């Protein structure tokens, strides 16, 4: 049920993959949106009817203007951890409720159980939210299908082979649009206080199969060349953060020989099945064939 005269929702990460889609869905649902960005020049890429606030999670006081009069915050944290306690304190001073984009670090499947700094950060932020007395909903997507844009699209556009480790590692890629749709629902619909939602795609698909599915929708075969973990470390040296590389290698390695963890949460909340990886690929075909490389 949508509340009458709904107060605005502050959407952080509003220029990012999930936050941008959440902003669109809230607007569609008639909910006023405040969009947070560090760069005022990005206002042009946001929907015309959002109110844009410039602010930075590493400068907690910069959030005050956007928080005044807000009831609920959609929190996406891609900043360093140092200011998280001060930011959560500030959110609690202004808002009643937070919907936090986290990860399935509590899920008892080897893929999600490898120690890594991202899991520690997410767990810390969840603890801070609870300790601040904020009402919360925690959204825990597994691997985004759209990671394929950053990982493989440049090579595929160039007509090359995908050189990648752990081709047999299975994940259940979740479409960002489904993640955003669930997050938006919990932001404008009652009944999600205390919700803790692990979101996955509908099927377990190995990384090599995902590349093959992209080839299918493009109508050509894409060669998959297996790299050793060491080769992958060398190839990403200097261009990827080392902790991210270590986190991915540990997760893929731990899941070899097991199907991915799958939940029915997306359909439970949205009433429709999550999009498959094939659907995601078909909807992003132009990104694999033309245009500038996606920026992270
Ligand atoms: N990729 C996956 O498979 C996956 C899986 C599970 C969970 N997650 C989580 O999803 C989150 C990322 O979501 P996403 O992919 O939608 O993000 P994204 O596309 O990487 O965009 C990052 C957003 O964060 C904002 N941002 C970055 N630093 C900021 C700062 N210091 N202060 C304020 N805003 C800042 C950016 O806004 P401006 O540049 O406009 O300021 C941008 O809107 C991460 O927490 C990640 O752990 C990802």
């Amino acid at each position: 049920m949508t509340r009458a005269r709904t107060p605005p929702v502050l959407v952080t990460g509003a220029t990012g993959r999930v936050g941008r889609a959440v902003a669109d869905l809230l607007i569609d649902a008639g909910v006023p949106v405040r969009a947070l960005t560090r760069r005022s020049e990005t206002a042009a890429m946001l929907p015309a009817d959002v109110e844009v606030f410039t602010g930075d999670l590493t400068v907690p006081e910069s959030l005050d203007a956007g928080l005044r009069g807000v009831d609920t915050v959609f929190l996406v944290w891609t900043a360093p951890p140092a200011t998280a306690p001060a930011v959560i304190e500030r959110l609690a001073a202004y808002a009643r409720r937070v919907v936090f984009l986290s990860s399935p670090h509590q899920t008892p499947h080897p893929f999600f159980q490898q120690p890594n700094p991202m899991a520690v950060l997410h767990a810390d932020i969840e603890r801070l939210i609870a300790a601040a007395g904020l009402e919360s909903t925690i959204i825990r997507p597994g691997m985004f299908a759209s990671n394929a844009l950053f990982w493989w699209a440049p090579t595929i556009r160039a007509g090359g082979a995908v050189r990648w480790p752990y081709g047999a590692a299975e994940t259940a890629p979740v479409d960002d649009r489904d993640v955003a749709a669930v997050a938006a629902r919990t932001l404008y619909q009652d009944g999600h206080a205390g919700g803790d939602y692990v979101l996955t795609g509908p099927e377990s698909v190995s990384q090599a199969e995902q590349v093959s599915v992209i080839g299918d929708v493009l109508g050509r075969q894409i060669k998959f060349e297996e790299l050793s973990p060491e080769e992958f470390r060398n190839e990403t040296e200097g261009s990827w953060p080392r902790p991210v590389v270590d986190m991915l290698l540990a997760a893929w390695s731990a899941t070899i020989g097991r199907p991915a963890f799958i939940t029915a949460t997306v359909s439970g909340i949205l009433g429709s099945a999550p999009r498959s990886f094939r659907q995601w690929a078909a909807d992003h075909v132009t990104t694999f064939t033309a245009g500038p490389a996606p920026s992270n």
Side-chain angles (χ1 to χ4, degrees):
M1 196 201 322
T2 309
R3 274 182 246 118
R5 294 158 55 119
T6 316
V9 171
L10 179 67
V11 176
T12 68
T15 59
R17 286 185 273 189
V18 177
R20 170 61 212 254
V22 165
D24 285 339
L25 291 164
L26 291 175
I27 294 284
D28 289 349
V31 179
V33 172
R34 293 184 177 178
L36 188 83
T37 175
R38 288 165 301 172
R39 304 161 292 144
S40 51
E41 68 274 16
T42 56
M45 61 181 276
L46 289 161
D49 28 14
V50 308
E51 219 184 331
V52 180
F53 284 81
T54 309
D56 190 324
L57 294 168
T58 67
V59 186
E61 60 276 18
S62 70
L63 307 177
D64 287 352
L67 281 168
R68 238 166 248 128
V70 150
D71 177 68
T72 305
V73 175
F74 179 56
L75 181 62
V76 178
W77 194 286
T78 55
T83 51
V87 167
I88 303 301
E89 202 178 298
R90 259 184 153 84
L91 301 193
Y94 290 97
R96 181 180 59 86
R97 196 159 84 89
V98 170
V99 174
F100 176 47
L101 181 61
S102 184
S103 57
H105 57 85
Q106 300 162 326
T107 295
H109 183 285
F111 186 83
F112 299 118
Q113 283 303 306
Q114 308 315 304
N116 69 76
M118 191 61 72
V120 171
L121 172 61
H122 286 159
D124 283 347
I125 292 177
E126 288 164 32
R127 268 192 295 275
L128 289 165
I129 289 171
L134 281 154
E135 198 174 289
S136 69
T137 307
I138 311 294
I139 308 287
R140 305 181 186 279
M143 281 286 186
F144 292 175
S146 63
N147 290 338
L149 295 178
F150 306 108
W151 294 348
W152 305 326
T155 310
I156 292 173
R157 271 199 302 272
V162 169
R163 295 163 46 74
W164 207 251
Y166 296 113
E170 295 185 27
T171 62
V174 61
D175 193 309
D176 322 346
R177 294 170 295 183
D178 290 327
V179 177
V182 169
R185 230 19 118 79
T186 69
L187 285 160
Y188 68 72
Q189 199 174 49
D190 290 335
H192 296 287
D196 190 310
Y197 301 133
V198 176
L199 309 181
T200 71
E203 64 208 337
S204 181
V205 196
S206 77
Q207 300 202 87
E209 284 162 353
Q210 290 170 36
V211 172
S212 166
V213 165
I214 295 168
D216 280 355
V217 303
L218 294 178
R220 66 181 165 91
Q221 210 180 5
I222 301 167
K223 201 162 169 231
F224 187 95
E225 280 176 22
E226 180 85 17
L227 293 184
S228 71
E230 221 28 63
E231 287 169 329
F232 186 64
R233 281 202 174 87
N234 291 338
E235 297 219 349
T236 52
E237 182 77 49
S239 53
W240 287 41
R242 191 60 188 253
V244 171
V245 173
D246 289 342
M247 173 179 76
L248 289 170
L249 286 171
W252 291 326
S253 162
T255 201
I256 289 291
R258 293 168 192 257
F261 185 82
I262 291 173
T263 70
T265 312
V266 169
S267 39
I269 292 174
L270 299 181
S272 56
R275 295 170 174 94
S276 65
F277 186 76
R278 185 172 292 275
Q279 179 67 58
W280 175 87
D283 291 342
H284 291 81
V285 96
T286 53
T287 323
F288 291 99
T289 53
S295 59
N296 216 338

